[in-house]
Amino acid sequence: IRVANFHAATVHAAREIVGAAGCSDTSQISPEHIFMRHNGIHVKSYADFHSEYFPRIPRGALLREDYRQSLPAHIREWWAAGKEIFQNSDTEAKAVARMRRSSSGTFRPTTA
């Protein structure tokens, strides 16, 4: 019963927020409707915050080295970090694939 009451109160509060934003449906809520305090003083919409820190990247731009160099440094760093993570996870996935469960319930490497 407590979970049902909490859920009902949450849905009610969400509907009030959507109405206060001048929208009739949650699909109409966009980053322009949500604001946050920035640096303790200034107020910015999430749309402003998002465009400042996450600029639009044209389709395929990360795949072209020449265009990638013109992107902001934090985007290039993010791309390089993601590439490193996926390369490492691929290696780990291959290692796990070479493991098999023994009768004792522990993992041990298979002989290749």
Side-chain angles (χ1 to χ4, degrees), residues 10-103:
T10 302
V11 170
H12 177 75
R15 291 181 70 182
E16 285 192 357
I17 291 169
V18 169
C23 301
S24 59
D25 188 64
T26 56
S27 65
Q28 296 172 331
I29 295 288
S30 67
E32 289 84 9
H33 291 99
I34 303 170
F35 289 82
M36 64 180 261
R37 190 163 304 279
H38 183 68
N39 295 333
I41 299 171
H42 301 89
V43 176
K44 285 185 170 184
S45 74
Y46 269 86
D48 295 337
F49 182 75
H50 190 269
S51 64
E52 181 178 330
Y53 290 100
F54 305 105
R56 290 224 181 259
I57 301 172
R59 183 180 295 259
L62 293 172
L63 301 175
R64 292 181 40 205
E65 181 67 32
D66 58 330
Y67 193 83
R68 195 167 47 237
Q69 293 306 317
S70 67
L71 295 173
H74 69 280
I75 299 292
R76 293 192 311 270
E77 291 167 5
W78 166 80
W79 181 253
K83 183 178 177 183
E84 182 179 318
I85 288 168
F86 282 111
Q87 286 173 342
N88 291 341
S89 67
D90 185 45
T91 303
E92 290 172 14
K94 288 177 184 175
V96 169
R98 290 190 308 265
M99 304 287 270
R100 66 183 168 95
R101 186 174 286 280
S102 70
S103 61

